[in-house]
Amino acid sequence: MSDNIWGYQPTTGYTAGTDLTGFKVEATDGSIGKVDKHSDDVDSSYLVVDTGVWIFGKHVLLPAGTVRSVDLDEHRIHVDLTKDQIKNSPEFDKDKHVGDVGYHEQVGGYYQTQRGI
């Protein structure tokens, strides 16, 4: 497993340039929402997930390295995190955090700790 939390693993089935907006996101223990926005910038790839009513409309930022697989036929993305790990992640504010290097470091550190990297 790569230690680059901000890059897609080659085994995910994701191809750069694929539009993931609207894909359902599945944690290891159930559905968490859908992709609101995504980026496949080199070394800064991520998903912004709208969790809907699950955690009161919170948006979360998931680094691409947390993606386990992308199912293009089913429009689903599977991540190797639990719902609680995602719910407890640093809150994402699209007006403040897009392109914020400090926030990206905080999120990357959180998920690397959760995954034991």
Side-chain angles (χ1 to χ4, degrees):
M1 179 171 294
S2 169
D3 62 358
N4 179 11
I5 193 90
W6 298 103
Y8 287 95
Q9 301 299 317
T11 55
T12 62
Y14 175 73
T15 304
T18 303
D19 185 4
L20 302 177
T21 306
F23 275 52
K24 289 190 165 128
V25 181
E26 304 286 335
T28 57
D29 56 353
S31 182
I32 61 156
K34 64 184 188 341
V35 176
D36 189 46
K37 180 182 173 188
H38 70 97
S39 164
D40 58 9
D41 294 343
V42 174
D43 294 331
S44 184
S45 300
Y46 60 83
L47 305 171
V48 175
V49 179
D50 179 352
T51 61
V53 296
W54 173 56
I55 43 179
F56 306 108
K58 178 177 170 183
H59 284 74
V60 293
L61 187 78
L62 297 179
T66 64
V67 173
R68 189 173 69 230
S69 66
V70 176
D71 185 331
L72 297 174
D73 294 330
E74 295 285 322
H75 286 84
R76 290 186 190 277
I77 297 170
H78 296 269
V79 296
D80 60 359
L81 298 162
T82 66
K83 289 165 93 172
D84 277 346
Q85 286 175 313
I86 294 164
K87 185 163 63 172
N88 296 324
S89 69
E91 188 161 355
F92 175 72
D93 181 333
K94 64 185 172 192
D95 296 324
K96 291 185 202 166
H97 294 140
V98 171
D100 179 335
V101 174
Y103 176 75
H104 276 232
E105 287 173 0
Q106 179 187 7
V107 170
Y110 171 80
Y111 285 117
Q112 285 174 327
T113 301
Q114 295 301 309
R115 297 172 67 215
I117 295 175

